[in-house]
Amino acid sequence: MAALNALLGEMCDIVGDEMEQATQALLEADLELAEQVISDHDQLTERSARAEEMAFELLALQAPVAGDLRSVVGGFQLVAEVDRMGALALHVAKVARRRHPFQVLPEEVAGYFVEMGRLAVELAQSAHNVLESQSYQDALALMDDDDAMDDLHRHLFTVMMDREWQHGVAAAVDVTLLGRYYERFADHAVSIARRVVFQATGKTPEQLDEVS
């Protein structure tokens, strides 16, 4: 299980790097960097397949029970969560590529995406740390860190709904989709934290709140 969690942590590093580079490509209309994110995505796919194989081997050969079985089954779910994070970073890079050579983001919202990109990278790193430590306290802290991303996502809509928005429907659609990609990236990091809480304690975060 330690080896599987280490591999999952490595995958979190990869998706964090993907989102960091995709955000830079988005903000700078950098086609070469967007293409690099897209072409390098195969390394995540390869590690996902390896992680699933490791989980199957643990399930078939070790015949885990109780807490160990919970961890192995959770491993399959964790692979899927990290995969989705990578897919969302890929979506950001593809938007940057599709709109090149034009800037995707109007100046009014660019700063939001600078901060959302930073938070996404931090959440990916926190997910790695949680997988490594298997600490439910760290996992609960990661869940709280998601609030800042939710706030930014809500504020984006206030900018687009303002009467002074002059960038048309296409730009509004791009900003809406991109905001959703970052929000979902953060949501999957939170899902990783929730699964670690369950693996470590046998309880959901809500059940832990009831006990405390």
Side-chain angles (χ1 to χ4, degrees), residues 8 11-12 15-16 18 41 44 48 51-52 73-89 124 127 131 181 183-196 199:
L8 288 166
M11 290 168 61
C12 286
V15 299
E18 284 186 341
H41 188 70
L44 180 65
S48 294
E52 288 184 344
V73 173
F76 290 107
Q77 298 166 325
L78 289 166
V79 172
E81 298 291 355
V82 184
D83 262 344
R84 292 182 187 119
M85 292 169 76
L88 290 160
L131 287 164
Y181 296 154
E183 183 198 34
R184 291 299 298 152
F185 187 96
D187 287 346
H188 288 301
V190 168
S191 293
I192 290 171
R194 291 181 63 87
R195 295 188 191 285
V196 169
Q199 288 175 193

Side-chain angles (χ1 to χ4, degrees), residues 52-167:
E52 288 184 344
E53 288 174 6
M54 291 175 68
F56 275 120
E57 288 175 1
L58 286 168
L59 195 60
L61 302 179
Q62 303 298 324
V65 295
D68 288 339
L69 179 60
R70 192 164 62 231
S71 295
V72 174
V73 173
F76 290 107
Q77 298 166 325
L78 289 166
V79 172
E81 298 291 355
V82 184
D83 262 344
R84 292 182 187 119
M85 292 169 76
L88 290 160
L90 195 63
H91 289 333
V92 174
K94 287 181 176 179
V95 171
R97 180 178 68 176
R98 185 170 65 249
R99 297 302 187 199
H100 186 269
F102 303 105
Q103 285 282 355
V104 178
L105 300 173
E107 185 177 348
E108 293 96 317
V109 298
Y112 287 91
F113 285 92
V114 171
E115 185 64 10
M116 291 171 84
R118 185 189 67 78
L119 287 171
V121 173
E122 286 187 358
L123 286 166
Q125 182 59 59
S126 294
H128 178 165
N129 295 340
V130 164
L131 287 164
E132 188 175 276
S133 70
Q134 290 294 297
S135 164
Y136 78 89
Q137 293 98 335
D138 291 346
L140 292 171
L142 187 159
M143 293 174 64
D144 290 338
D145 290 342
D146 176 53
D147 292 344
M149 185 71 84
D150 289 337
D151 288 343
L152 285 165
H153 188 243
R154 282 192 296 270
H155 290 158
L156 266 179
F157 283 95
T158 65
V159 175
M160 288 188 295
M161 296 299 290
D162 192 286
R163 293 180 181 178
E164 295 185 5
W165 178 264
Q166 299 176 353
H167 305 285

